[in-house]
Amino acid sequence: MSVYGSANYEYVVARVRHRRASLFSDDEYRKLLRMGTGEIARFMEETQYEDAVNALGSRFSGVDLIEHALNETLADDFQDLLRYSEGRLYEQVVRYLRKFDAWNVKTVLRGLYSDATEAEVRSDLIDAGEFEEAFLDRLVAAESIEAVVELLDDTLFETYLEGAFEAYEESGTLVPLENAVDRAYYENLVPDASVRGEAAELYREFLEAEIDFRNVRNALRLARSGADVDPAEYFIDGGALFDRKEVGQLVADRSTLVSRIRESKYGDELSRALDELEEADSLIGFEHALDRALLEYSDHLSYVYPLSVCPVLAYVLAKEREVDNIRAIARGREAGLSEAEIEEELVIL
């Protein structure tokens, strides 16, 4: 698909709105909570996951079938978005979908760190980014974390991982490497300020919100952990809510951090979540609230600017939410968790 010329927003947004209408409702998630994994797979056969479930049913069953069908359908769905998109819209979508390259890199690193099998790691990869399938196979086959870092030379992750690998060797934890992968993705996500025009400004506003929410999440995790680390090392440039110097001061005083969020343009969306965070000290619940707020903020932008990239990116977030919710339900049922315990893991609007 050409990356030059005018964007075909009207056509792609129409396709996206049609697909958005077929996403699972909150009531359907609650139905799934009462099902076993076999019943969930059969339910999925009556939805947009039908082709994947049928194609994979002879090789997998139970939660494995659900996992593979989710990942395959997600990848196919987002590859369709790229095929539909033209011009500037294609550039915006392909840049955003690099999040799955980041996901895949972190999945491979975690697999090596935890001694998972190649088959286990490969089943968790989502072929929806820029990395070719053959390159993903090479990452999965790597025999060490150092080998993975070397394979990522000449990618957007290279310069970020160089220093992070030394920190990984010193600390023995994956945190520096995972943070470097996130920074590589997000800091290459927002277009250069020299790129002008309404389309670029809308894209930038959408991405700034996602980076702001990621920085809020990281700051609260650091504030909760009490770890003796420099918050600036975990700061992602490109947002509008904090700067690198300010976030270090806010992490040291969580009440001030919460007040800063309340006073921001996201205060209304996060008001209830901030109340719950202060009252119950529930960071997991707050992180789910951040996810809900980002979904609602993206929907707001998509309705205010209906012929732009915003409805397309809002659909990507909504589809990710659907896949994450179904996966959480299937894994929870497999692990024998109660309905209430599983529902706590869901992002329901």
Side-chain angles (χ1 to χ4, degrees):
M1 179 63 65
S2 171
V3 297
Y4 302 103
S6 61
N8 57 337
Y9 293 115
E10 186 171 358
Y11 172 74
V12 179
V13 168
R15 299 297 296 260
V16 160
R17 294 212 184 280
H18 176 74
R19 293 196 176 199
R20 184 79 186 254
S22 69
L23 294 180
F24 283 30
S25 67
D26 289 347
D27 286 341
E28 286 173 310
Y29 294 132
R30 295 186 176 97
K31 288 180 183 177
L32 293 179
L33 284 170
R34 300 190 292 272
M35 299 180 185
T37 54
E39 293 174 296
I40 293 172
R42 287 192 292 275
F43 184 88
M44 290 170 64
E45 283 187 276
E46 304 300 320
T47 70
Q48 64 271 28
Y49 298 97
E50 177 184 7
D51 290 345
V53 171
N54 289 336
L56 296 164
S58 61
R59 287 185 286 156
F60 304 101
S61 62
V63 71
D64 290 334
L65 173 58
I66 294 167
E67 293 266 12
H68 282 84
L70 289 172
N71 288 348
E72 184 169 303
T73 303
L74 185 71
D76 289 345
D77 206 17
F78 292 164
Q79 289 301 321
D80 283 346
L81 286 184
L82 292 176
R83 284 195 294 272
Y84 300 152
S85 302
E86 296 177 356
R88 177 172 288 177
L89 178 59
Y90 177 90
E91 294 180 71
Q92 293 170 327
V93 174
V94 77
R95 184 188 292 259
Y96 190 70
L97 292 182
R98 288 175 185 157
K99 67 163 57 182
F100 295 104
D101 293 330
W103 164 270
N104 290 334
V105 169
K106 290 190 290 186
T107 298
V108 170
L109 293 172
R110 291 167 184 165
L112 282 166
Y113 190 77
S114 63
D115 294 323
T117 67
E118 289 186 19
E120 289 171 335
V121 174
R122 193 64 179 88
S123 69
D124 280 340
L125 301 190
I126 301 173
D127 299 0
E130 285 189 306
F131 289 166
E132 299 287 342
E133 184 176 350
F135 183 68
L136 291 176
D137 290 339
R138 290 174 63 199
L139 289 176
V140 172
E143 296 183 352
S144 67
I145 287 175
E146 183 176 10
V148 171
V149 172
E150 290 175 354
L151 282 170
L152 291 166
D153 285 350
D154 299 322
T155 71
L156 67 88
F157 303 104
E158 177 183 4
T159 56
Y160 291 83
L161 287 172
E162 288 174 353
F165 184 72
E166 294 179 10
Y168 155 72
E169 290 188 305
E170 292 173 2
S171 68
T173 72
L174 287 180
V175 173
L177 291 173
E178 291 184 331
N179 178 62
V181 171
D182 284 339
R183 288 182 54 231
Y185 167 66
Y186 282 110
E187 291 180 8
N188 286 279
L189 188 59
V190 180
D192 187 270
S194 63
V195 180
R196 303 292 184 182
E198 184 182 35
E201 289 304 315
L202 290 176
Y203 188 56
R204 190 175 288 112
E205 182 176 355
F206 185 100
L207 301 181
E208 282 179 352
E210 185 159 347
I211 292 171
D212 280 335
F213 282 26
R214 174 64 61 176
N215 280 328
V216 167
R217 187 189 308 266
N218 289 346
L220 285 167
R221 285 179 178 175
L222 288 173
R224 185 185 182 93
S225 71
D228 185 21
V229 296
D230 181 2
E233 294 180 5
Y234 295 83
F235 182 80
I236 298 169
D237 289 320
L241 187 56
F242 306 126
D243 60 37
R244 188 177 295 272
K245 181 179 179 181
E246 181 185 27
V247 77
Q249 300 168 341
L250 292 172
V251 166
D253 184 353
R254 198 176 75 173
S255 63
T256 303
L257 171 61
V258 170
S259 296
R260 180 75 172 79
I261 299 168
R262 284 193 189 279
E263 295 164 3
S264 74
K265 64 180 179 180
Y266 310 117
D268 290 342
E269 288 90 345
L270 295 176
S271 177
R272 187 176 66 179
L274 289 167
D275 289 342
E276 293 174 359
L277 178 67
E278 290 181 313
E279 293 170 6
D281 198 32
S282 171
L283 186 54
I284 293 176
F286 182 76
E287 290 187 356
H288 287 330
L290 281 179
D291 293 334
R292 285 192 294 272
L294 183 59
L295 284 163
E296 291 169 357
Y297 189 72
S298 69
D299 283 340
H300 167 73
L301 289 178
S302 71
Y303 286 112
V304 173
Y305 307 105
L307 292 182
S308 72
V309 69
C310 294
V312 182
L313 301 189
Y315 171 72
V316 172
L317 286 177
K319 184 66 180 180
E320 285 185 86
R321 170 220 178 198
E322 175 180 90
V323 168
D324 288 343
N325 280 346
I326 297 171
R327 179 182 288 115
I329 293 170
R331 288 179 173 175
R333 297 299 293 170
E334 182 82 355
L337 300 181
S338 68
E339 291 181 20
E341 288 173 321
I342 298 171
E343 190 164 1
E344 288 180 359
E345 300 299 319
L346 306 184
V347 176
I348 296 177
L349 299 179

